Amino acid sequence: MRIARFSLNDTPRYAFVQKDESDGKDYLVELDGHPLLGGKVAPTGKRYALDADGVRLLSPVLPSKVYGLAKNYEAHAQYMHEAGHSEISHAPEDMVIFTKPSTSVIGPDDPIVYPACSKDMNFEPELAVVMGRVAKNVPVEKAMDYVLGFTCVNDVTLRDLQGLDPTWTRAKGFDTSCPLGPWIVTRDDVNWKDAKISFTLNGEDVAMASGTTANLIHGIPEQIAAISSFSTLLPGDVIMTGTPNASGHLDPGDETIVHVEGVGSLRNVIVRA
């Protein structure tokens, strides 16, 4: 099942995304409530084409917080070392966890704003976990019970500032640095143990950025257990699981598309501040 958040003439709403077999197109089936609040939701009887006038997909959730894992793939850790961004040549044994504020979140087709304080913006395509229940001190073996589903994320990073700020506050947390979307695919409808991740820049596939969650060093249940041991995860909170391989430079005007197998594609364009 796909769950979307959209606006119709600037009014935010939720919907299921369903394919109409008669024409092969996706439609938004409007819901009468909020699917993350725990109550029952039902279709209102209204349906909209994704390309209908006044319809715009929004970030599928408004998380209270976003956590991310750095160097959670060996290939990315090696790339960072070879590119001169890291002194260590292999992925660290322990999880490296960082945060992005809620104000960093944007949705599909929203502009990523290149701040004037940086000269080296990088893309990082990833699979993102969306929590469906309050999670605190969750054991690994029960961690997936707390997951609503998955979406695409671009962990946009200011690489030059990352080397200057030990906490990565500016490098990872600037406004528009966390594009999410295009929707949430529910947990059992994604092969999260082996989801292929790829990236398109200005219409061309960036082979060096591709990978699969099968190569995660710290798996998704382990990430949830570790983060929930020190921070209460709320419904709608997001965990960025890591970028699988090399990242790369972005310039104003660039079109970025994150692809995650079983989830969809997330498009954004870079603009100057």
Side-chain angles (χ1 to χ4, degrees), residues 86-97:
S86 174
E87 294 181 356
I88 61 174
S89 59
H90 295 284
E93 183 176 345
D94 295 329
M95 294 186 196
V96 177
I97 301 171

Side-chain angles (χ1 to χ4, degrees), residues 15-59:
F16 294 137
V17 184
Q18 293 182 348
K19 184 177 293 294
D20 190 323
E21 298 300 334
S22 65
D23 60 13
K25 295 182 179 180
D26 285 329
Y27 288 85
L28 296 164
V29 179
E30 185 181 270
L31 301 174
D32 62 3
H34 192 310
L36 285 175
L37 294 181
K40 291 184 178 180
V41 295
T44 64
K46 299 178 181 179
R47 189 181 82 155
Y48 308 95
L50 284 176
D51 58 356
D53 289 343
V55 170
R56 182 170 71 93
L57 286 178
L58 306 173
S59 168

Side-chain angles (χ1 to χ4, degrees), residues 15 17 56-58 75-76 115 123 127 136 161 167 172 184 191 212 248 254:
V17 184
R56 182 170 71 93
L57 286 178
L58 306 173
H76 182 63
F123 59 80
L127 173 70
K136 178 63 177 175
L161 298 189
T167 59
K172 294 282 192 180
I184 299 166
N191 180 14
T212 168
D254 283 347

